[in-house]
Amino acid sequence: MNLSHAYGVAPTLEAAERLLLTAVEEGVTHFDTAALYGFGTNEELVGRVLAGHRDRIVLASKCGMTGVDGRRVIDGRPETIRRTADEALARLRTDVIDLYYLHRLDRAVPVEESVGAMAELVKAGKVRALGLSEVSSQTLRRAHAVHPIAALQNEYSLWSRDPEEGTLATTRELGVALVAFSPLARGVLTDAPPDPETLPASDIRRGMPRFGARHYPANLARRAELARLAEKAGISLPQLALAWVVSRGPHVIAIPGTRSTAHLRENLSVLDVEVPGEVLDAAGRVLNAATVNGPRYNEATLAEIDTERGGRAG
């Protein structure tokens, strides 16, 4: 996402290409994009750069939320899903998408209708497996009854705990992978947390309450506690944050985004680090749903979200 959409100024195409190819070289096999990201430009980027490596990767994209006339639009109608899928196949330069998500639930369209259209894509050989994003356990169960759901992508990190209200257990029960996006708290749990005052006006975090003047100082204080905990354990803060996410269960997959090859390698290094359980437990006590300050989205966006907590803090 952050190579083409919503996070400040996008990197040059050359830098983005270099990052993607480095990821392949470092053994990354799962690449996650969406029609929304850059309103199609990220799918084009991924398709162009990774076309020569298609047999080595799992390619995931999303439908149901796209750019229309310069605006973000949620549209889960079957006809829109079919059209978006064909456009994605062309941009991704592939005959089949390995994992295709419904990016957001369209509250005007029953999830059964949206997933039914996606199931038709599977039957047609255009998609191999289906996923959902930012939905509740109830919606997941309804969708799963129409067609097996392979993955649920919800925000999950030390500071965003919605899955613990139901979907963490439900995905485990149903044999669904829980794909955790923003596992590094949108950059806060890295070695260089963002300064909201210097972010471009177009940066998505500008509109997120947790980055506002009312809440951000308290969240940085919690981050500082975590940094001290990581240092004492002999690991970096990003390693601690990612280790905590992947420790939540064997079916939990973290997908940290980055623009930096150095950060890419640091993120991958968590697979080679053993973090003691007591350190992970301590991290969870420092930052959690009760200690984070502010909701993760503003009111308008919260109204679009189907997860159990609706993104509320506390």
PDB file of all heavy atoms in Angstrom, residues 120-134:
ATOM      1  N   GLU A 120     -17.916 -17.227  -8.041  1.00  0.00           N
ATOM      2  CA  GLU A 120     -17.999 -17.430  -9.489  1.00  0.00           C
ATOM      3  C   GLU A 120     -16.624 -17.237 -10.137  1.00  0.00           C
ATOM      4  O   GLU A 120     -16.291 -17.911 -11.117  1.00  0.00           O
ATOM      5  CB  GLU A 120     -19.006 -16.462 -10.100  1.00  0.00           C
ATOM      6  CG  GLU A 120     -20.453 -16.724  -9.689  1.00  0.00           C
ATOM      7  CD  GLU A 120     -21.393 -15.659 -10.223  1.00  0.00           C
ATOM      8  OE1 GLU A 120     -20.928 -14.776 -10.968  1.00  0.00           O
ATOM      9  OE2 GLU A 120     -22.589 -15.712  -9.887  1.00  0.00           O
ATOM     10  N   LEU A 121     -15.840 -16.321  -9.586  1.00  0.00           N
ATOM     11  CA  LEU A 121     -14.489 -16.108 -10.105  1.00  0.00           C
ATOM     12  C   LEU A 121     -13.620 -17.343  -9.881  1.00  0.00           C
ATOM     13  O   LEU A 121     -12.771 -17.672 -10.714  1.00  0.00           O
ATOM     14  CB  LEU A 121     -13.854 -14.893  -9.435  1.00  0.00           C
ATOM     15  CG  LEU A 121     -14.537 -13.544  -9.654  1.00  0.00           C
ATOM     16  CD1 LEU A 121     -13.865 -12.468  -8.803  1.00  0.00           C
ATOM     17  CD2 LEU A 121     -14.500 -13.139 -11.126  1.00  0.00           C
ATOM     18  N   VAL A 122     -13.830 -18.006  -8.759  1.00  0.00           N
ATOM     19  CA  VAL A 122     -13.098 -19.247  -8.488  1.00  0.00           C
ATOM     20  C   VAL A 122     -13.493 -20.308  -9.509  1.00  0.00           C
ATOM     21  O   VAL A 122     -12.642 -20.987 -10.097  1.00  0.00           O
ATOM     22  CB  VAL A 122     -13.358 -19.739  -7.054  1.00  0.00           C
ATOM     23  CG1 VAL A 122     -12.668 -21.081  -6.822  1.00  0.00           C
ATOM     24  CG2 VAL A 122     -12.884 -18.714  -6.030  1.00  0.00           C
ATOM     25  N   LYS A 123     -14.791 -20.457  -9.724  1.00  0.00           N
ATOM     26  CA  LYS A 123     -15.272 -21.452 -10.689  1.00  0.00           C
ATOM     27  C   LYS A 123     -14.747 -21.171 -12.093  1.00  0.00           C
ATOM     28  O   LYS A 123     -14.488 -22.086 -12.865  1.00  0.00           O
ATOM     29  CB  LYS A 123     -16.801 -21.463 -10.688  1.00  0.00           C
ATOM     30  CG  LYS A 123     -17.428 -21.997  -9.412  1.00  0.00           C
ATOM     31  CD  LYS A 123     -18.942 -21.949  -9.481  1.00  0.00           C
ATOM     32  CE  LYS A 123     -19.566 -22.427  -8.179  1.00  0.00           C
ATOM     33  NZ  LYS A 123     -21.059 -22.346  -8.227  1.00  0.00           N
ATOM     34  N   ALA A 124     -14.586 -19.891 -12.411  1.00  0.00           N
ATOM     35  CA  ALA A 124     -14.093 -19.510 -13.738  1.00  0.00           C
ATOM     36  C   ALA A 124     -12.584 -19.643 -13.861  1.00  0.00           C
ATOM     37  O   ALA A 124     -12.029 -19.426 -14.949  1.00  0.00           O
ATOM     38  CB  ALA A 124     -14.518 -18.077 -14.047  1.00  0.00           C
ATOM     39  N   GLY A 125     -11.896 -19.966 -12.775  1.00  0.00           N
ATOM     40  CA  GLY A 125     -10.452 -20.117 -12.808  1.00  0.00           C
ATOM     41  C   GLY A 125      -9.686 -18.825 -12.752  1.00  0.00           C
ATOM     42  O   GLY A 125      -8.469 -18.808 -12.985  1.00  0.00           O
ATOM     43  N   LYS A 126     -10.374 -17.728 -12.402  1.00  0.00           N
ATOM     44  CA  LYS A 126      -9.704 -16.424 -12.326  1.00  0.00           C
ATOM     45  C   LYS A 126      -9.095 -16.173 -10.947  1.00  0.00           C
ATOM     46  O   LYS A 126      -8.216 -15.323 -10.800  1.00  0.00           O
ATOM     47  CB  LYS A 126     -10.688 -15.311 -12.665  1.00  0.00           C
ATOM     48  CG  LYS A 126     -11.229 -15.371 -14.088  1.00  0.00           C
ATOM     49  CD  LYS A 126     -12.216 -14.252 -14.354  1.00  0.00           C
ATOM     50  CE  LYS A 126     -12.721 -14.296 -15.800  1.00  0.00           C
ATOM     51  NZ  LYS A 126     -13.662 -13.180 -16.097  1.00  0.00           N
ATOM     52  N   VAL A 127      -9.585 -16.883  -9.945  1.00  0.00           N
ATOM     53  CA  VAL A 127      -9.155 -16.716  -8.554  1.00  0.00           C
ATOM     54  C   VAL A 127      -9.025 -18.100  -7.939  1.00  0.00           C
ATOM     55  O   VAL A 127      -9.837 -18.994  -8.224  1.00  0.00           O
ATOM     56  CB  VAL A 127     -10.186 -15.877  -7.768  1.00  0.00           C
ATOM     57  CG1 VAL A 127      -9.890 -15.897  -6.272  1.00  0.00           C
ATOM     58  CG2 VAL A 127     -10.221 -14.442  -8.280  1.00  0.00           C
ATOM     59  N   ARG A 128      -8.024 -18.272  -7.070  1.00  0.00           N
ATOM     60  CA  ARG A 128      -7.821 -19.578  -6.434  1.00  0.00           C
ATOM     61  C   ARG A 128      -8.475 -19.667  -5.052  1.00  0.00           C
ATOM     62  O   ARG A 128      -9.002 -20.712  -4.684  1.00  0.00           O
ATOM     63  CB  ARG A 128      -6.330 -19.878  -6.315  1.00  0.00           C
ATOM     64  CG  ARG A 128      -5.659 -20.162  -7.651  1.00  0.00           C
ATOM     65  CD  ARG A 128      -4.311 -20.841  -7.472  1.00  0.00           C
ATOM     66  NE  ARG A 128      -3.778 -21.288  -8.751  1.00  0.00           N
ATOM     67  CZ  ARG A 128      -2.809 -20.678  -9.418  1.00  0.00           C
ATOM     68  NH1 ARG A 128      -2.253 -19.571  -8.919  1.00  0.00           N
ATOM     69  NH2 ARG A 128      -2.381 -21.147 -10.574  1.00  0.00           N
ATOM     70  N   ALA A 129      -8.412 -18.603  -4.269  1.00  0.00           N
ATOM     71  CA  ALA A 129      -8.954 -18.635  -2.908  1.00  0.00           C
ATOM     72  C   ALA A 129      -9.530 -17.273  -2.567  1.00  0.00           C
ATOM     73  O   ALA A 129      -9.123 -16.250  -3.126  1.00  0.00           O
ATOM     74  CB  ALA A 129      -7.866 -19.024  -1.906  1.00  0.00           C
ATOM     75  N   LEU A 130     -10.469 -17.266  -1.628  1.00  0.00           N
ATOM     76  CA  LEU A 130     -11.165 -16.034  -1.271  1.00  0.00           C
ATOM     77  C   LEU A 130     -10.800 -15.566   0.134  1.00  0.00           C
ATOM     78  O   LEU A 130     -10.515 -16.366   1.023  1.00  0.00           O
ATOM     79  CB  LEU A 130     -12.680 -16.244  -1.329  1.00  0.00           C
ATOM     80  CG  LEU A 130     -13.270 -16.677  -2.664  1.00  0.00           C
ATOM     81  CD1 LEU A 130     -14.795 -16.705  -2.574  1.00  0.00           C
ATOM     82  CD2 LEU A 130     -12.806 -15.778  -3.796  1.00  0.00           C
ATOM     83  N   GLY A 131     -10.832 -14.238   0.311  1.00  0.00           N
ATOM     84  CA  GLY A 131     -10.590 -13.637   1.615  1.00  0.00           C
ATOM     85  C   GLY A 131     -11.551 -12.498   1.879  1.00  0.00           C
ATOM     86  O   GLY A 131     -12.264 -12.036   0.985  1.00  0.00           O
ATOM     87  N   LEU A 132     -11.547 -12.030   3.103  1.00  0.00           N
ATOM     88  CA  LEU A 132     -12.314 -10.867   3.533  1.00  0.00           C
ATOM     89  C   LEU A 132     -11.368  -9.931   4.268  1.00  0.00           C
ATOM     90  O   LEU A 132     -10.310 -10.353   4.734  1.00  0.00           O
ATOM     91  CB  LEU A 132     -13.462 -11.265   4.466  1.00  0.00           C
ATOM     92  CG  LEU A 132     -14.493 -12.264   3.956  1.00  0.00           C
ATOM     93  CD1 LEU A 132     -15.434 -12.653   5.095  1.00  0.00           C
ATOM     94  CD2 LEU A 132     -15.275 -11.689   2.786  1.00  0.00           C
ATOM     95  N   SER A 133     -11.765  -8.675   4.407  1.00  0.00           N
ATOM     96  CA  SER A 133     -10.951  -7.713   5.148  1.00  0.00           C
ATOM     97  C   SER A 133     -11.836  -6.821   6.000  1.00  0.00           C
ATOM     98  O   SER A 133     -12.898  -6.385   5.548  1.00  0.00           O
ATOM     99  CB  SER A 133     -10.125  -6.856   4.180  1.00  0.00           C
ATOM    100  OG  SER A 133      -9.314  -5.931   4.884  1.00  0.00           O
ATOM    101  N   GLU A 134     -11.394  -6.552   7.218  1.00  0.00           N
ATOM    102  CA  GLU A 134     -12.082  -5.658   8.158  1.00  0.00           C
ATOM    103  C   GLU A 134     -13.541  -6.056   8.366  1.00  0.00           C
ATOM    104  O   GLU A 134     -14.454  -5.243   8.241  1.00  0.00           O
ATOM    105  CB  GLU A 134     -11.997  -4.207   7.669  1.00  0.00           C
ATOM    106  CG  GLU A 134     -10.609  -3.585   7.789  1.00  0.00           C
ATOM    107  CD  GLU A 134     -10.316  -3.024   9.168  1.00  0.00           C
ATOM    108  OE1 GLU A 134     -10.571  -3.741  10.162  1.00  0.00           O
ATOM    109  OE2 GLU A 134      -9.845  -1.883   9.261  1.00  0.00           O
TER     110      GLU A 134
END
